Amino acid sequence: MPERLTEMLMDTWTPLIILWITVLPSIYMAPMNQSQVLPSGSSTGLKRLNEEQRVLHRSKRGWVWNQMFVLEEFSGPEPILVGRLHTDLDPGSSKIKYILSGDGAGTIFVINDKTGDIHAMKRLDREEKAEYTLTAQAVDRDTNQPLEPPSEFIIKVQDINDNAPEFVEGPYHATVPEMSVVGTFVTKVTATDADDPVYGNSAKLVYSILEGQPYFSIEPHTAIIKTALPNMDREAKEEYFVVIQAKDMGGHMGGLSGTTTVTITLTDVNDNPPKFAQSLYHFSVMEDVALGEPIGRVKANDLDIGENAKSSYDIIEGDGMDIFEITTDAQTQDGIIRVRKPLDFETKKSYTLKVEAANIHIDPRFLSGGPFKDTATVKIVVEDADEPPVFSSPTYLLEVHENAALNSVLGQVTAHDPDASSSPIRFSIDRHTDLERQFNINAEDGKITLATPLDRETSTWHNITIVATETRNHSQVSRVPVAIKVLDVNDNAPEFASEHEAFLCENGKPGQVIQIVSAVDKDDPKNGHYFLYSLLPEMVNNPNFTIKKNEDNTLSILAKHSGFSRQKQEVYLLPIVISDSGTPPMSSTSTLTIRVCGCSSDGIVQSCNVEAYVLPIGLSMGALIAILACIILLLVIVVLFVTLRRHKNEPLIIKDDEDVRENIIRYDDEGGGEEDTEAFDIATLQNPDGINGFLPRKDIKPDLQFMPRQGLAPVPNGVDVDEFINVRLHEADNDPTAPPYDSIQIYGYEGKGSAAGSLSSLESSTSDSDQNFDYLSEWGPRFKRLGELYSVGESDKET
């Protein structure tokens, strides 16, 4: 093996060296000192090289470097010789030393410092590092002085086929439409080889299919996968599993290979028409079904999926095209048949429809395969149902004069049972719509009659609801609205529109218009109102006033003469008769009051009575009364406010003397202790103000009158104070005249005894001389001074 490698290296490098020697003299014309980097070989080549140099008369040459090669993954019993360094300054003695530095120097590559031979000490992997850059230098062995400048050279690792192709992005997933033609692009795969792509065929890949034929094919060099069979049907097989192989060495024997998988899915196209599951469908429906209710479903199956499977349904033929409709359920793709118009079993008992289902999205490429639609027949049977009565009209309008007689017939409603059994019908009025019971209805024939008198001026319209009920099935009920219009008759006399009061100036002129009055009539004649005005027959020749009818249906009052005087007559009453043009005509008499007043020269009223005085300033009698009432009300409020404030300042309880509950009573005597019962009178605990009776209240008056309590006699000194306090507490709790506010009652009572014992010196069996106060110093610094004082007192007594 080493001999074969050496021969291979010599065959490779010999032509290159000869070419380099031939070209180099023409480039470098200046004399240089040269060292040589030679590949491993015989010494004969080296001598021949030296002879050629002498022929060229090169006096001095420097370092010349070149590339060296080492085969990767080479292993043997000895390190492999990579090449040899040599300089012409080396006469063959051992005074020259070769030094190697750079990538891997000393570890991977070792140089013989005497001969310049370079050996590779380890197995090299080109995929880890493809080349190494080293620096060679010749130095004097004794002085280590460089004999020549350093020179760089490269050792390249020669590739061998030691890496198999890999699909880094695998496994792959791809889709292609079904029914595609041969050669349709599916996807492209890519494999990588870590070997050197420029040296040999180690990285030259060729692709092939191991599994997946004959459905798909692959281009050997581009790795493009295409369809190999036409008209592949998704409905027959949707998914294919393809195994792709990539082999290096150009696919020749001995090459390494790698595989990957490609999952190819056929996507759907609309190549299948919808198809009804059955050609004839039967449905039944009750005749009283609500409009819009579904009565049945039909289904057209489509082998396609997604948008390609969507279909629309239509009714294309049949005797119920206007009675029924069909829609598409977006979720299930069913055809839903619904009722558009009411059904009537007695009119038509069955319907036959022809329903069509057609694809919404059609692929033009497959139109030649036939129409993408299908039809089916639907038979619908209408079943009888007990229906409510049906009125002859959806609404009724009746008219009646307001003077119609009671029990007169206003109109009639009719209804019938649409069922074949034809049940009798009974009519009634929904009294919620006729609360005053103004109308009645005949339960048998539906005639509506008047129950109470009508008045158009009170209500012009009456809306009631008539109920029709089957006698055989009371649950079958129908309702219909009936509007009753009250027609007008001339039953109201006209009258003045408002209460008129006219004012006549004393200096008025004859023919002057005193007042213009108008009339109103509650009736509503078709041609409008037209009133006739006249004076009473006995007032026709009235010497003071006359009347004149105006074109706007009003009346003017005129004075016949001048010279009216308040002193002579202040008020005139003028009766006027107002008649309408109705049939029969109605009339009424209204009296106009005319007051004589003093006026200015301009005709402005100045004085006639209280109201006339205030008229010039724009105030009426009502306004004066309202102002006077407000003033009186304000005065009353002020008086009440002052009274309440004065009442509030007075105390709630009448007190003759000071209340002991709100005062501090000082006594200048000193008690003799709890055993000294002679110095204190228990009677002082009694309320001094209530000793002779209860406290009168000024703010409230009790509902129940209690007799005043009799004052208690002074209690003997030996009484039980605890019992005395309880009695007083009970009386205070049950006294309705007691103050409603909180109060403090203080009793100078200590109690019968305490767990701490008595602090009094009375009846004490020990004297001051028997007591020891040393324990006070043990209570802390606060009682230390007190203990010292008592200790001093004890010492004074002893002395």
Side-chain angles (χ1 to χ4, degrees):
M1 183 68 182
E3 291 80 7
R4 181 179 178 186
L5 181 60
T6 302
E7 292 176 1
M8 203 162 119
L9 289 173
M10 290 298 295
D11 293 340
T12 304
W13 284 103
T14 299
L16 294 176
I17 292 173
I18 295 174
L19 178 61
W20 173 67
I21 294 173
T22 305
V23 174
L24 189 61
S26 62
I27 299 175
Y28 297 97
M29 301 302 295
M32 298 178 58
N33 183 27
Q34 178 174 346
S35 297
Q36 299 172 357
V37 180
L38 300 176
S40 59
S42 61
S43 59
T44 305
L46 184 59
K47 292 180 180 180
R48 185 170 64 249
L49 183 58
N50 291 334
E51 291 176 358
E52 293 176 356
Q53 292 174 353
R54 286 194 295 271
V55 171
L56 295 173
H57 302 286
R58 303 295 297 273
S59 60
K60 193 173 186 180
R61 308 186 69 169
W63 280 100
V64 177
W65 60 271
N66 206 336
Q67 292 182 351
M68 295 185 182
F69 292 88
V70 59
L71 198 63
E72 72 168 330
E73 302 295 344
F74 180 80
S75 62
E78 297 179 359
I80 182 174
L81 178 62
V82 178
R84 177 179 298 173
L85 296 178
H86 187 71
T87 177
D88 53 2
L89 298 178
D90 187 3
S93 62
S94 58
K95 291 184 178 182
I96 297 177
K97 180 181 179 181
Y98 295 97
I99 298 175
L100 186 66
S101 62
D103 295 341
T107 57
I108 300 176
F109 301 103
V110 177
I111 188 171
N112 190 321
D113 59 354
K114 295 180 181 180
T115 62
D117 293 340
I118 300 174
H119 292 82
M121 307 302 294
K122 297 180 179 179
R123 296 178 58 181
L124 302 179
D125 188 357
R126 191 200 66 84
E127 285 71 37
E128 293 182 3
K129 192 173 180 63
E131 60 181 30
Y132 298 84
T133 302
L134 299 172
T135 303
Q137 188 174 23
V139 300
D140 188 277
R141 185 177 296 273
D142 296 330
T143 64
N144 281 333
Q145 293 296 325
L147 301 178
E148 295 178 346
S151 178
E152 286 188 354
F153 66 96
I154 298 174
I155 298 178
K156 288 190 174 182
V157 182
Q158 197 171 19
D159 183 52
I160 64 173
N161 189 19
D162 59 343
N163 291 280
E166 293 181 358
F167 291 91
V168 180
E169 299 178 358
Y172 296 85
H173 294 271
T175 59
V176 64
E178 65 172 331
M179 311 302 290
S180 297
V181 298
V182 176
T184 302
F185 174 83
V186 178
T187 188
K188 181 180 180 179
V189 297
T190 302
T192 59
D193 196 320
D195 292 327
D196 191 356
V198 299
Y199 180 78
N201 294 328
S202 299
K204 186 177 181 181
L205 305 181
V206 174
Y207 299 90
S208 61
I209 291 181
L210 300 182
E211 294 183 20
Q213 295 174 337
Y215 305 103
F216 302 96
S217 63
I218 187 171
E219 291 288 341
H221 301 290
T222 61
I224 295 176
I225 301 175
K226 300 179 180 180
T227 57
L229 282 181
N231 301 328
M232 285 188 290
D233 193 0
R234 185 198 64 83
E235 289 73 29
K237 185 176 182 180
E238 184 176 5
E239 193 172 81
Y240 294 85
F241 189 77
V242 179
V243 179
I244 304 297
Q245 174 185 294
K247 189 174 183 181
D248 59 13
M249 299 300 292
H252 296 297
M253 186 179 296
L256 302 178
S257 64
T259 60
T260 188
T261 60
V262 182
T263 302
I264 302 175
T265 303
L266 297 183
T267 58
D268 185 60
V269 298
N270 192 9
D271 58 339
N272 294 282
K275 187 70 175 177
F276 280 103
Q278 55 194 72
S279 59
L280 181 61
Y281 292 86
H282 292 273
F283 299 108
S284 61
V285 59
M286 300 296 293
E287 64 173 333
D288 59 351
V289 65
L291 299 182
E293 283 292 316
I295 63 173
R297 289 173 174 255
V298 296
K299 175 70 172 179
N301 299 316
D302 195 323
L303 297 178
D304 297 321
I305 59 175
E307 295 291 326
N308 297 320
K310 290 185 177 181
S311 300
S312 62
Y313 296 87
D314 291 300
I315 300 175
I316 58 175
E317 292 181 11
D319 53 0
M321 295 181 63
D322 58 337
I323 304 298
F324 303 94
E325 64 179 359
I326 186 169
T327 58
T328 303
D329 189 333
Q331 300 295 329
T332 62
Q333 291 299 306
D334 292 346
I336 305 175
I337 302 176
R338 304 177 187 271
V339 180
R340 292 179 59 186
K341 294 182 179 181
L343 302 177
D344 187 8
F345 172 80
E346 290 72 24
T347 304
K348 190 172 179 61
K349 298 179 175 57
S350 64
Y351 297 89
T352 302
L353 307 175
K354 188 174 184 180
V355 179
E356 179 184 79
N359 278 147
I360 299 176
H361 305 284
I362 299 177
D363 194 334
R365 296 177 299 171
F366 305 103
L367 286 176
S368 60
F372 283 78
K373 61 180 67 175
D374 193 21
T375 59
T377 302
V378 178
K379 289 190 175 183
I380 302 173
V381 176
V382 180
E383 297 182 356
D384 188 22
D386 191 3
E387 300 175 88
V390 177
F391 283 95
S392 59
S393 175
T395 59
Y396 290 88
L397 175 62
L398 305 179
E399 293 182 347
V400 57
H401 287 88
E402 59 180 327
N403 61 349
L406 298 181
N407 297 321
S408 60
V409 177
L410 309 183
Q412 183 180 14
V413 296
T414 58
H416 70 281
D417 184 6
D419 299 324
S421 57
S422 186
S423 172
I425 306 298
R426 292 186 62 84
F427 298 95
S428 62
I429 297 178
D430 185 354
R431 291 303 177 183
H432 292 90
T433 61
D434 184 25
L435 297 176
E436 298 180 0
R437 296 182 174 268
Q438 293 181 291
F439 306 97
N440 291 325
I441 189 170
N442 190 305
E444 302 298 332
D445 56 12
K447 291 182 178 180
I448 301 174
T449 58
L450 185 62
T452 60
L454 299 177
D455 185 7
R456 188 203 65 83
E457 288 71 33
T458 303
S459 179
T460 305
W461 288 93
H462 298 272
N463 296 303
I464 62 175
T465 299
I466 304 301
V467 181
T469 307
E470 291 185 9
T471 56
R472 298 175 184 174
N473 186 358
H474 295 286
S475 63
Q476 298 298 330
V477 177
S478 295
R479 299 171 180 269
V480 66
V482 177
I484 302 174
K485 183 178 181 181
V486 181
L487 302 178
D488 183 53
V489 296
N490 194 24
D491 58 347
N492 292 279
E495 58 187 6
F496 280 149
S498 61
E499 293 294 334
H500 294 285
E501 187 175 12
F503 297 93
L504 174 63
C505 293
E506 291 179 318
N507 55 357
K509 298 178 181 180
Q512 181 181 355
V513 177
I514 301 173
Q515 182 74 31
I516 297 177
V517 296
S518 61
V520 294
D521 194 335
K522 295 180 181 179
D523 295 324
D524 186 18
K526 295 181 179 179
N527 298 326
H529 292 288
Y530 182 80
F531 300 116
L532 298 176
Y533 301 93
S534 63
L535 298 176
L536 290 177
E538 59 271 18
M539 299 291 293
V540 172
N541 296 322
N542 190 310
N544 298 315
F545 306 100
T546 185
I547 59 175
K548 177 184 177 182
K549 175 71 170 17
N550 300 323
E551 294 181 357
D552 59 353
N553 223 17
T554 59
L555 179 68
S556 297
I557 311 299
L558 292 85
K560 282 188 174 183
H561 61 84
S562 60
F564 290 93
S565 175
R566 283 181 291 175
Q567 288 76 14
K568 182 178 180 180
Q569 185 173 351
E570 183 180 359
V571 178
Y572 294 89
L573 298 178
L574 183 63
I576 300 175
V577 179
I578 309 173
S579 303
D580 60 17
S581 58
T583 303
M586 302 291 292
S587 63
S588 66
T589 301
S590 299
T591 301
L592 178 64
T593 302
I594 303 174
R595 294 183 180 274
V596 180
C597 303
C599 302
S600 64
S601 58
D602 298 331
I604 299 175
V605 176
Q606 290 182 340
S607 64
C608 51
N609 51 23
V610 177
E611 186 173 358
Y613 282 116
V614 298
L615 281 176
I617 60 174
L619 293 177
S620 63
M621 182 63 69
L624 287 175
I625 294 174
I627 294 174
L628 183 61
C630 291
I631 294 174
I632 295 173
L633 180 61
L634 289 175
L635 291 176
V636 171
I637 292 175
V638 171
V639 172
L640 290 176
F641 179 74
V642 174
T643 304
L644 289 176
R645 285 184 59 85
R646 182 179 300 173
H647 181 71
K648 185 177 181 182
N649 292 332
E650 296 181 2
L652 296 177
I653 302 176
I654 300 175
K655 296 185 291 185
D656 298 333
D657 298 321
E658 295 182 350
D659 192 349
V660 298
R661 292 173 298 178
E662 299 178 358
N663 295 275
I664 300 175
I665 301 175
R666 297 177 58 86
Y667 299 94
D668 294 331
D669 56 342
E670 181 178 356
E674 60 184 9
E675 298 298 330
D676 187 6
T677 60
E678 299 295 335
F680 184 78
D681 187 3
I682 194 65
T684 59
L685 293 177
Q686 298 176 352
N687 190 337
D689 292 333
I691 188 67
N692 296 322
F694 66 95
L695 296 176
R697 294 293 301 277
K698 295 180 65 178
D699 59 335
I700 62 172
K701 182 179 181 181
D703 294 335
L704 299 177
Q705 299 295 332
F706 289 87
M707 296 300 295
R709 299 195 307 268
Q710 297 295 330
L712 299 178
V715 182
N717 294 334
V719 72
D720 189 355
V721 179
D722 190 13
E723 181 181 358
F724 170 77
I725 293 176
N726 289 332
V727 171
R728 286 292 185 267
L729 180 61
H730 178 73
E731 291 177 355
D733 291 340
N734 294 277
D735 186 2
T737 63
Y741 47 82
D742 295 337
S743 62
I744 301 176
Q745 298 188 18
I746 303 173
Y747 302 95
Y749 175 62
E750 180 180 355
K752 294 182 178 180
S754 66
S758 175
L759 299 178
S760 176
S761 62
L762 298 178
E763 298 183 358
S764 177
S765 60
T766 62
S767 64
D768 294 340
S769 61
D770 297 334
Q771 296 183 8
N772 185 7
F773 299 99
D774 294 338
Y775 64 90
L776 293 176
S777 60
E778 299 176 358
W779 287 7
R782 296 183 179 180
F783 298 91
K784 183 177 180 180
R785 179 59 180 168
L786 183 63
E788 292 176 356
L789 293 176
Y790 277 89
S791 299
V792 172
E794 293 293 333
S795 62
D796 291 342
K797 290 181 180 180
E798 292 176 359
T799 57

